[in-house]
Amino acid sequence: MAKVSENYEVMYIIDLDKGEEGIAALVEKFKALVEANGTLNNLEEMGKRKLAYLVNDKPEGYYVLMQFTSAPAFPAELDRVMRITDGVMRSLITTVGK
């Protein structure tokens, strides 16, 4: 059976309290996870931005956008890891049109 892959995009926000080194470590962790399970097409660190509403009583966060190709089962695992990782305020994984 051929391996089917799709294009995905994940936007996640890191708590600024992690500091520069902590933020860089989380970005590297998720980048390595994607590369181990698929192909990283683009990584854009959008930096510190104001949130639309307070998250955990904080007005700002560090935004990161990753675009990748992987098997359909991987995004669920990535979402699970992001949910349990300390410092990730929010994350959203979407399928990019074919």
Side-chain angles (χ1 to χ4, degrees):
M1 187 169 143
K3 182 178 176 185
V4 178
S5 62
E6 292 193 41
N7 293 320
Y8 298 95
E9 193 170 82
V10 59
M11 168 77 74
Y12 58 99
I13 306 169
I14 301 172
D15 190 335
L16 293 173
D17 290 348
K18 283 291 186 190
E20 284 184 29
E21 286 182 9
I23 289 171
L26 283 177
V27 170
E28 188 56 41
K29 172 183 176 172
F30 295 130
K31 178 182 175 214
L33 187 60
V34 166
E35 289 174 337
N37 291 280
T39 305
L40 181 64
N41 301 326
N42 186 34
L43 172 65
E44 182 181 350
E45 292 188 48
M46 301 167 77
K48 183 171 116 174
R49 297 218 172 163
K50 187 169 176 56
L51 301 170
Y53 54 89
L54 293 179
V55 177
N56 304 333
D57 294 324
K58 297 181 180 163
E60 294 179 321
Y62 190 89
Y63 281 68
V64 181
L65 175 67
M66 280 195 307
Q67 294 162 332
F68 63 95
T69 304
S70 74
F74 173 65
E77 174 62 10
L78 179 61
D79 187 50
R80 184 190 72 78
V81 171
M82 287 185 160
R83 287 178 189 269
I84 62 173
T85 300
D86 183 44
V88 176
M89 298 168 72
R90 290 283 189 272
S91 65
L92 179 66
I93 301 172
T94 56
T95 305
V96 179
K98 297 178 183 185

